[in-house]
Amino acid sequence: GPSQCGGFAACYPGLQYQDRLVTNASDAFFGQISYSIAPSDRVIVGARTTQDKKSRDGTQVFAFNGTDYSASGNSVTPLFGQAKWKSSTYKLGYEKDLSASEMAYTTISTGFKSGGFNDGDTRTNPELIFRPEKITSYEAGLNGKYFDNALQLTSSIFHYDYTDMQKSGVVNSSMLTVNTGSATVDGAEVSARYRVSKAGRLDASLGLLKAQYKTYTTPNGTDFSGKALDKTPSVTLNIGYAHNWNLDSGSRLTAYAGTKYSASYVTTDTGTATAAPIQFKQKAFTKSNLSLTYA
């Protein structure tokens, strides 16, 4: 009645999740060694074995303002999930000191992100379980300090191969995580920090990115292969300047001014078995910050 609905003439109870027991356990064995094959050259080898177990035991009931309406004929849905995953990953790397303040590197590594389950009973609906996400990463870069250490520079290029990429979204008013297939990410990053004086520092960074689905068919059968991944702008640029004043009292005053530019990117509503997916576009934008800090 109105008393339960805060004055409204009609209302509907909301879904309430009651988890009695939720467990997440991860066991791993890993190690990494670095071997100098020459005074300026190193080889890195690493390996890891991981086993993840997840379980949940609970119910989904209709409730409103703390009142359980399941006894009034509304359904009570079991929230049960149980699954485990095991994976072995590795890292291979090579580092070379080009000088006392400059190093080049390259790495190949694999990664693993455990799966999970969406709301419901996985005993009767095993499709609620989503698979682990895996990645193979290739990266090379150059890091160094120059001009009497006034300039600190880091740079890298990379290529990521994803399989069974996980994506979360709202489907039929419920939050679901699904496996979308394979995807690739190619990019380059450069970051610089330059000491313009004893009190002033200039920071700048540039990121270039091309991220897209390699194979992905949406729930209604739309081929999303070649479509951009969510929130992956092709260009990002940051630039900022910080200045310090050391006060006679021993305190410090720091002023900072900076701005960030982001190219446009998309976010995706994956749709349903009957509804087509929609990609929403965020236009390119800049965001600036000013701050004054006393310490």
Side-chain angles (χ1 to χ4, degrees):
S3 61
Q4 293 177 320
C5 300
F8 292 96
C11 68
Y12 296 94
L15 287 177
Q16 183 180 88
Y17 301 99
Q18 298 176 345
D19 290 327
R20 289 187 289 271
L21 181 64
V22 178
T23 61
N24 292 312
S26 181
D27 298 310
F29 176 79
F30 61 92
Q32 181 171 304
I33 62 173
S34 178
Y35 181 72
S36 295
I37 58 178
S40 60
D41 297 73
R42 294 172 298 280
V43 174
I44 299 172
V45 178
R48 178 186 181 103
T49 296
T50 305
Q51 179 173 276
D52 290 344
K53 296 180 180 179
K54 295 183 179 181
S55 65
R56 178 189 60 195
D57 184 12
T59 55
Q60 171 184 292
V61 300
F62 284 97
F64 186 80
N65 284 349
T67 301
D68 188 349
Y69 284 81
S70 57
S72 302
N74 293 290
S75 61
V76 178
T77 303
L79 289 180
F80 180 86
Q82 184 173 326
K84 64 180 179 179
W85 304 270
K86 187 175 182 179
S87 179
S88 296
T89 55
Y90 67 87
K91 176 181 179 179
L92 300 174
Y94 174 72
E95 297 177 347
K96 183 176 182 61
D97 296 329
L98 304 178
S99 68
S101 60
E102 192 176 32
M103 182 194 75
Y105 71 92
T106 181
T107 61
I108 302 174
S109 58
T110 57
F112 161 81
K113 179 181 179 183
S114 65
F117 28 76
N118 294 298
D119 291 334
D121 190 346
T122 61
R123 294 169 297 188
T124 58
N125 189 2
E127 292 184 357
L128 294 172
I129 301 174
F130 54 89
R131 298 181 300 277
E133 176 182 289
K134 297 183 179 181
I135 183 177
T136 301
S137 167
Y138 307 85
E139 184 175 351
L142 175 68
N143 301 329
K145 293 182 178 181
Y146 309 91
F147 307 118
D148 195 25
N149 294 332
L151 174 64
Q152 179 177 325
L153 181 70
T154 62
S155 61
S156 66
I157 57 174
F158 53 88
H159 171 79
Y160 299 154
D161 271 324
Y162 284 95
T163 57
D164 283 330
M165 175 175 273
Q166 297 170 4
K167 174 174 170 53
S168 297
V170 178
V171 179
N172 289 335
S173 301
S174 297
M175 178 65 71
L176 292 179
T177 299
V178 298
N179 296 100
T180 59
S182 60
T184 59
V185 178
D186 295 288
E189 294 179 346
V190 180
S191 179
R193 174 173 291 184
Y194 183 63
R195 187 179 68 246
V196 297
S197 66
K198 290 184 178 181
R201 187 187 76 238
L202 183 67
D203 297 324
S205 64
L206 172 67
L208 305 175
L209 203 62
K210 183 179 181 181
Q212 59 187 11
Y213 291 109
K214 189 176 179 181
T215 57
Y216 173 37
T217 301
T218 67
N220 85 319
T222 302
D223 185 5
F224 251 44
S225 303
K227 294 282 189 179
L229 299 183
D230 285 3
K231 299 180 181 179
T232 55
S234 59
V235 180
T236 55
L237 176 64
N238 291 272
I239 187 168
Y241 176 76
H243 197 93
N244 297 317
W245 291 273
N246 293 319
L247 307 180
D248 292 339
S249 63
S251 300
R252 171 176 287 187
L253 195 64
T254 302
Y256 174 81
T259 190
K260 171 188 177 180
Y261 166 79
S262 172
S264 61
Y265 59 81
V266 297
T267 59
T268 307
D269 176 352
T270 56
T272 65
T274 56
I278 304 173
Q279 281 200 324
F280 301 92
K281 185 175 182 179
Q282 163 65 53
K283 295 181 180 180
F285 65 91
T286 58
K287 181 186 291 185
S288 298
N289 295 286
L290 295 171
S291 68
L292 187 64
T293 305
Y294 174 82

